[in-house]
Amino acid sequence: DQQVKQNSPSLSVQEGRISILNCDYTNSMFDYFLWYKKYPAEGPTFLISISSIKDKNEDGRFTVFLNKSAKHLSLHIVPSQPGDSAVYFCAASPQGGSEKLVFGKGTKLTVNP
Amino acid sequence: GAGVSQSPSNKVTEKGKDVELRCDPISGHTALYWYRQRLGQGLEFLIYFQGNSAPDKSGLPSDRFSAERTGESVSTLTIQRTQQEDSAVYLCASSRNAPGIFNYGYTFGSGTRLTVV
C-alpha cells in the first residue's frame, strides 16, 4: 500500500513556463515533506522541504505548497529551464521525528527548449 | 571526499551468490541509510544507522539481507543467496542529526546497480 503517491509518471513543459509536480499522501501523521531531484546515473539530490505546520515554502524558482486537509503537496518550478529535466521524487517523514523517509515513485519532468 | 561514495558502481552476479556493497558516508554525518530502487519504483527504505544506537532494520526484505556499520564510518550491505528480484539500484545516504535533515535532506551516493542473472 503506497503511502506517498505521485500519480503522473511524466510531465512535459515548455521552457519558461511553470512546471507543477503533484504528490498525494495517505498518512496524516507525516510531519515533514521533501522533494528530491534525480538525474540519470546519479543519486537523488535534496531540493526543498516543508514542515506540516506550514503551507508554503519558497526557494528561488522552487515553491512547495502543502494542503494538509487534502493530503496533497505540489512543487512549482517557475520559470522552467531545460536543466530542470530530471525525475522528481516526493518524500515524507513519519511522525515521531523519525528520519526514515517514505518516497513516491517519481515524476519524470522534461523541459523543452 | 566531499560526497557519499559507493562501490562498486555496477555489479552483475549469478543467482545464489553473495554480494557485498560498500558505502563511505560524508565525514561527520552520524546517520547513514540504505535504500533501494527497483525498476519503475520509488525508493524503498532498507536500514538506518544513527551513531551508536541500534540500527532500524525494519525495511530489510528478508533475512538474506544484512548491514553493518563501524562507528560513524563505512557501512556494508550484504545480500546472501541473491535472487533475481534483488536486482535494483542500491542507494546509500548520510545526514547530520535532525533537525538538519529537514533543512538539508539526505546526501545520496550515486548508487550500486545490482543485476542478478
Side-chain angles (χ1 to χ4, degrees):
Chain A
D1 179 35
Q2 273 228 299
Q3 295 187 70
V4 176
K5 300 177 184 179
Q6 294 178 256
N7 292 319
S8 297
S10 63
L11 174 68
S12 185
V13 300
Q14 208 63 31
E15 181 178 5
R17 300 290 185 106
I18 185 171
S19 295
I20 300 176
L21 298 121
N22 293 303
C23 178
D24 297 291
Y25 61 95
T26 58
N27 188 342
S28 57
M29 306 298 268
F30 284 141
D31 260 355
Y32 286 87
F33 303 89
L34 304 91
W35 285 93
Y36 284 81
K37 175 178 172 179
K38 185 181 184 301
Y39 293 118
E42 295 183 11
T45 55
F46 171 73
L47 199 54
I48 192 169
S49 64
I50 188 167
S51 163
S52 60
I53 63 173
K54 294 186 175 181
D55 56 17
K56 177 183 174 181
N57 188 24
E58 190 172 352
D59 183 3
R61 297 185 297 114
F62 303 91
T63 303
V64 56
F65 295 93
L66 176 62
N67 182 336
K68 284 186 68 178
S69 61
K71 296 192 181 67
H72 176 84
L73 64 155
S74 60
L75 174 67
H76 292 211
I77 307 173
V78 180
S80 301
Q81 300 173 353
D84 296 329
S85 298
V87 177
Y88 289 78
F89 291 97
C90 173
S93 172
Q95 190 186 43
S98 166
E99 298 171 5
K100 182 170 66 181
L101 296 179
V102 180
F103 283 84
K105 291 187 179 182
T107 297
K108 183 176 181 181
L109 173 67
T110 303
V111 180
N112 301 302
Chain B
V4 176
S5 178
Q6 290 188 246
S7 60
S9 54
N10 278 286
K11 176 73 177 178
V12 180
T13 190
E14 291 182 353
K15 179 180 171 181
K17 300 279 189 184
D18 297 352
V19 294
E20 191 173 278
L21 312 180
R22 177 186 168 106
C23 173
D24 282 274
I26 292 173
S27 177
H29 280 192
T30 59
L32 185 146
Y33 317 79
W34 284 97
Y35 283 79
R36 74 175 175 183
Q37 185 183 16
R38 290 189 280 192
L39 192 64
Q41 302 298 310
L43 278 70
E44 177 187 3
F45 168 78
L46 297 177
I47 188 168
Y48 160 46
F49 296 90
Q50 173 63 59
N52 294 319
S53 303
D56 178 350
K57 303 180 181 180
S58 60
L60 295 178
S62 77
D63 59 8
R64 296 187 295 105
F65 287 71
S66 63
E68 292 183 353
R69 186 183 187 195
T70 307
E72 295 183 353
S73 61
V74 172
S75 175
T76 55
L77 176 69
T78 302
I79 309 172
Q80 295 178 310
R81 305 181 301 283
T82 52
Q83 304 295 312
Q84 288 185 329
E85 63 262 28
D86 300 334
S87 296
V89 176
Y90 288 81
L91 289 158
C92 176
S94 68
S95 74
R96 309 169 195 168
N97 276 329
I101 181 177
F102 300 119
N103 292 323
Y104 307 109
Y106 300 160
T107 300
F108 279 93
S110 297
T112 294
R113 181 175 296 278
L114 176 67
T115 305
V116 182
V117 297

